[in-house]
Amino acid sequence: MPRDDHDPRDARDDRDARDARDARDDDLDLVPVRRRPDLVRFLVTGAVIGGVLGGLIGFLGPDAPSSSLLQEIILLASTGAIVVGLLAAVLYLLVDRRSLGS
């Protein structure tokens, strides 16, 4: 048969702890938290995606008669990284502006 080890002081301690927590909650001032995006993550992600897409276009696209395959890949990968990186920066600005309003 299970023993009942209930101590009436436990209930009073629980009630005191709850009252203390409620008193602390009343003293707290809630301030809005602005969740802003991380610029570096946007730029790096855009540059990597652009570089990969540009490299794929250079590898799979038509051959240029006056350059090697490696030159095409490097040129298109770096151009893609710059262009998509700039688009990611614009997207960052739009998302950051939106975080101000909400």
Side-chain angles (χ1 to χ4, degrees):
M1 183 162 150
R3 259 180 69 196
D4 187 16
D5 290 334
H6 181 66
D7 187 4
R9 288 178 289 179
D10 290 340
R12 188 178 65 236
D13 290 341
D14 290 341
R15 201 171 34 246
D16 291 342
R18 203 172 328 125
D19 291 342
R21 187 173 51 245
D22 290 341
R24 268 197 323 259
D25 290 343
D26 291 340
D27 293 339
L28 295 178
D29 292 331
L30 298 178
V31 293
V33 176
R34 179 172 174 226
R35 294 184 48 128
R36 61 186 307 177
D38 188 12
L39 176 63
V40 174
R41 288 183 185 180
F42 269 81
L43 294 179
V44 169
T45 303
V48 168
I49 290 173
V52 169
L53 288 177
L56 282 173
I57 291 171
F59 182 72
L60 299 175
D63 291 336
S66 62
S67 62
S68 69
L69 179 64
L70 183 62
Q71 288 174 335
E72 289 179 37
I73 292 173
I74 291 172
L75 176 69
L76 291 174
S78 59
T79 303
I82 291 170
V83 169
V84 178
L86 289 174
L87 289 175
V90 170
L91 180 65
Y92 166 80
L93 291 174
L94 293 173
V95 172
D96 187 47
R97 172 73 55 108
R98 186 166 185 227
S99 73
L100 283 172
S102 57

